Amino acid sequence: MRQRVITAVIALVLFLPIIFFDFGGISVQLLGALLAVVGVYELFRMKGLAIISFEGILSIIGALVLVLPNNPWFSYLPDTTDKLILFYFIVMLLLGVSVISKNMYTIDEAGFPVLVSLYVGVGLQNFVEARSTGLLLLLFGLFIVWATDIGAYMVGRKYGKRSLWPAISPNKTVEGAIGGILSALFIAIVFLIIYPGSLYFEYGSFIMLFWTIILSAVGQFGDLVESAIKRHYQVKDSGNILPGHGGVLDRFDSMLFVFPIMHLIGLF
């Protein structure tokens, strides 16, 4: 526990100034890019694949294409160039290897680096876009995720009896999941009292509370998805870059689902 707390404090000291001040307007973009590279590496590591490989490098490039905005990172390209087409070019290269290798490298194998790029890249793309829309919006999403995690852990530890999804994550409980949602609602209420939804967001405060419930549930589902990936590959943590917490995906799994859904429902 002591190691977890020390790591969390150090991470927050480094993380919070970046998202608050966004130095030069690109520091959050660079943070998103760094997290994407580490996330791709962790998934390749779990599968037992080398990241320094043709597919590993292309998967990293694909994730970066998704995370980094056109301006300034791809401003050298024609104005009509769509990043989706640029990402599809990466897909074309991966599929092309099946031809060059005479099907020694198949479409099934090409599917893994493509899905990894999408999973990590789109999640962090929306994290970056949320900050470019506004600090309050990013903080709202982060507070929901953090409150859900803390509430689910505390309530589940003290009152948890019924397993939520034993085949995937035996330690998670129904009581903990409900506690996570209630914790997120409490934080959202405080947040919206200070920053009313009608003034600072696309929806009024009552609708924002409804979306808080949805986003809290989505975040917990994102956590379960990463648990399913780890169980499939029979690993305890996605990595060890954060002592006591595991890897980047262990800390950002909920956010990879929450921020895209925030975008989908029109919060940015």
Side-chain angles (χ1 to χ4, degrees):
M1 177 61 72
R2 182 182 177 184
Q3 187 181 52
R4 288 175 62 89
V5 172
I6 292 173
T7 300
V9 170
I10 294 174
L12 286 175
V13 168
L14 296 174
F15 181 74
L16 290 179
I18 292 175
I19 64 171
F20 267 97
F21 300 109
D22 193 15
F23 305 99
I26 63 169
S27 62
V28 172
Q29 297 170 16
L30 293 175
L31 174 64
L34 176 62
L35 294 173
V37 171
V38 177
V40 170
Y41 163 75
E42 288 179 350
L43 284 161
F44 268 70
R45 177 177 172 269
M46 281 192 273
K47 189 173 173 61
L49 297 175
I51 193 65
I52 306 301
S53 61
F54 182 75
E55 60 183 350
I57 298 301
L58 284 181
S59 190
I60 287 176
I61 293 173
L64 292 176
V65 164
L66 293 171
V67 172
L68 295 172
N70 283 345
N71 186 24
W73 305 101
F74 302 103
S75 57
Y76 56 88
L77 295 173
D79 292 339
T80 55
T81 299
D82 191 317
K83 280 210 302 181
L84 180 60
I85 298 300
L86 195 57
F87 179 80
Y88 187 66
F89 179 67
I90 305 297
V91 177
M92 290 167 60
L93 291 176
L94 284 164
L95 291 174
V97 179
S98 64
V99 176
I100 298 171
S101 67
K102 299 179 181 179
N103 261 341
M104 294 294 291
Y105 185 83
T106 67
I107 188 172
D108 291 339
E109 293 168 300
F112 177 78
V114 171
L115 187 57
V116 165
S117 295
L118 283 170
Y119 171 48
V120 175
V122 173
L124 289 168
Q125 174 194 57
N126 284 278
F127 169 80
V128 170
E129 286 187 11
R131 178 61 182 90
S132 68
T133 301
L135 175 62
L136 286 179
L137 184 66
L138 179 65
L139 289 177
F140 184 77
L142 290 174
F143 285 168
I144 288 175
V145 170
W146 291 339
T148 299
D149 286 348
I150 294 170
Y153 176 77
M154 299 298 291
V155 173
R157 186 177 183 182
K158 187 168 184 178
Y159 301 106
K161 294 180 179 178
R162 291 170 290 180
S163 185
L164 178 65
W165 216 301
I168 298 299
S169 187
N171 294 328
K172 289 183 172 61
T173 63
V174 173
E175 294 81 4
I178 295 172
I181 292 173
L182 293 176
S183 178
L185 273 174
F186 173 77
I187 293 300
I189 289 170
V190 174
F191 195 95
L192 292 167
I193 288 173
I194 302 171
Y195 303 105
S198 58
L199 296 178
Y200 293 94
F201 299 101
E202 294 295 323
Y203 301 97
S205 294
F206 285 107
I207 301 299
M208 289 297 291
L209 292 178
F210 168 75
W211 287 130
T212 296
I213 296 172
I214 300 299
L215 293 171
S216 179
V218 165
Q220 294 187 64
F221 186 72
D223 194 349
L224 285 170
V225 166
E226 210 245 337
S227 294
I229 295 171
K230 291 188 292 186
R231 184 164 288 270
H232 174 70
Y233 291 122
Q234 299 181 339
V235 297
K236 182 179 183 296
D237 296 315
S238 66
N240 53 18
I241 194 171
L242 300 170
H245 291 264
V248 162
L249 293 179
D250 291 313
R251 292 300 91 207
F252 283 81
D253 49 7
S254 297
M255 298 180 199
L256 293 180
F257 273 53
V258 166
F259 283 104
I261 297 301
M262 288 176 67
H263 194 168
L264 182 66
I265 62 179
L267 286 176
F268 63 94

